[in-house]
């Protein structure tokens, strides 16, 4: 049981924050477990709710806790570490970590490529492209929100059913040879709709990854924008000095 030391030079919110962090690190509070409300902590430690809120907010921002609207605050699941090297699909990465990948298809349609998407894919304006919005999950935990664009001519047989699985696997089974990809990473805050879909708080940190995927012949295969939950993902990069 935490004993608040009001004479300590350490702020009270920091003492609460450090205590909860220690409980999580020690496994006393388990991933997915709910924690008491701000009011309960406030009464337990005889401190203001504002002080408790700051401690919890700091732990949410650090990825130790996650707020779920209408449900409360929970111990966050352990972060998945992804290596930014090698061209692998989301499904392949998740399977490699012993988890079950799943995609929840939010929308699937064929659209004439608008100017921005046509430029990203290096195709002519109004070229028919697939637009797919998918939630990416691992063991039923929502990890990312992805919007992807692929020229219809490359995969004319692609269906909604295929889009639920790995597009890379489908493409390779269709005879296409994927070669490499370029990525641009940007930290930002989740908007209201994005936060709702990702089951995180509005303005929670997310990582935006813009990716262009190329075929072996140099043609563009796919352009995608993915929002990864900041409390669920971390990325590693290997670099050689040249």
């Amino acid at each position: 049981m935490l004993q608040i030391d009001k004479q300590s030079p350490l702020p009270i919110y920091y003492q609460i924050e450090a205590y909860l962090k220690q409980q999580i690190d020690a496994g006393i509070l388990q991933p997915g477990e709910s924690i008491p409300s701000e009011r309960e902590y406030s009464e337990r430690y005889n401190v203001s709710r504002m002080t408790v809120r700051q401690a919890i907010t700091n732990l949410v921002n650090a990825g130790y806790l996650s707020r779920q609207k209408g449900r409360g605050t929970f111990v966050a699941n352990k972060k998945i570490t992804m290596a930014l090297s090698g061209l692998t699909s989301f499904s392949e990465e998740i399977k490699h970590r012993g988890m079950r990948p799943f995609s929840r298809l939010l929308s699937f349609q064929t659209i004439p490529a608008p100017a921005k998407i046509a430029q990203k894919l290096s195709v002519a304006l109004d070229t028919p492209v697939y637009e797919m919005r998918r939630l990416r999950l691992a063991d039923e935990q929502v990890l990312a929100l992805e919007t992807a664009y692929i020229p219809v001519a490359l995969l004319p047989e692609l269906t909604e059913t295929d889009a639920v699985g790995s597009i890379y696997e489908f493409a390779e089974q269709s005879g296409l040879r994927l070669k490499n990809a370029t990525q641009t990473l940007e930290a930002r805050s989740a908007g209201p709709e994005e936060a709702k879909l990702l089951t995180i708080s509005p303005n929670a940190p997310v990582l935006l990854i813009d990716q262009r995927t190329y075929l072996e012949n140099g043609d563009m295969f796919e352009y995608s924008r993915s929002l990864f939950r900041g409390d669920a993902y971390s990325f590693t990069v290997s670099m050689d000095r040249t």
Side-chain angles (χ1 to χ4, degrees), residues 196-210:
K196 183 178 180 180
L197 290 170
L198 290 170
T199 64
I200 55 178
S201 302
N203 297 318
V206 292
L207 185 66
L208 171 64
I209 298 184
D210 268 32

Side-chain angles (χ1 to χ4, degrees), residues 46-166:
N46 192 27
V47 297
S48 72
R49 290 183 63 173
M50 185 176 297
T51 297
V52 174
R53 184 174 301 125
Q54 183 167 358
I56 291 176
T57 297
N58 288 349
L59 289 170
V60 169
N61 291 338
Y64 281 90
L65 299 174
S66 64
R67 288 191 176 104
Q68 297 182 23
K69 190 173 181 180
R71 295 190 61 208
T73 303
F74 297 79
V75 178
N77 289 301
K78 296 293 185 181
K79 286 191 176 185
I80 296 173
T81 300
M82 305 280 274
L84 293 178
S85 60
L87 178 57
T88 56
S89 69
F90 174 87
S91 298
E92 290 167 338
E93 285 281 0
I94 296 304
K95 286 178 181 177
H96 180 68
R97 281 154 179 77
M99 305 172 74
R100 184 175 65 88
F102 179 73
S103 293
R104 186 177 301 155
L105 191 64
L106 302 177
S107 65
F108 178 91
Q109 59 183 332
T110 299
I111 63 171
K116 183 177 179 180
I117 300 305
Q119 181 184 26
K120 296 285 188 182
L121 286 171
S122 299
V123 298
L125 184 68
D126 294 333
T127 295
V129 299
Y130 296 114
E131 180 188 67
M132 295 168 281
R133 293 188 80 214
R134 301 185 290 178
L135 278 178
R136 314 307 300 268
L137 298 86
D139 288 349
E140 300 184 1
Q141 180 191 5
V142 177
L143 298 180
L145 171 63
E146 175 192 87
T147 304
Y149 300 89
I150 299 173
V152 172
L154 291 177
L155 293 174
E157 305 300 323
L158 185 68
T159 67
E160 290 189 33
T161 301
D162 300 318
V164 173
S166 170

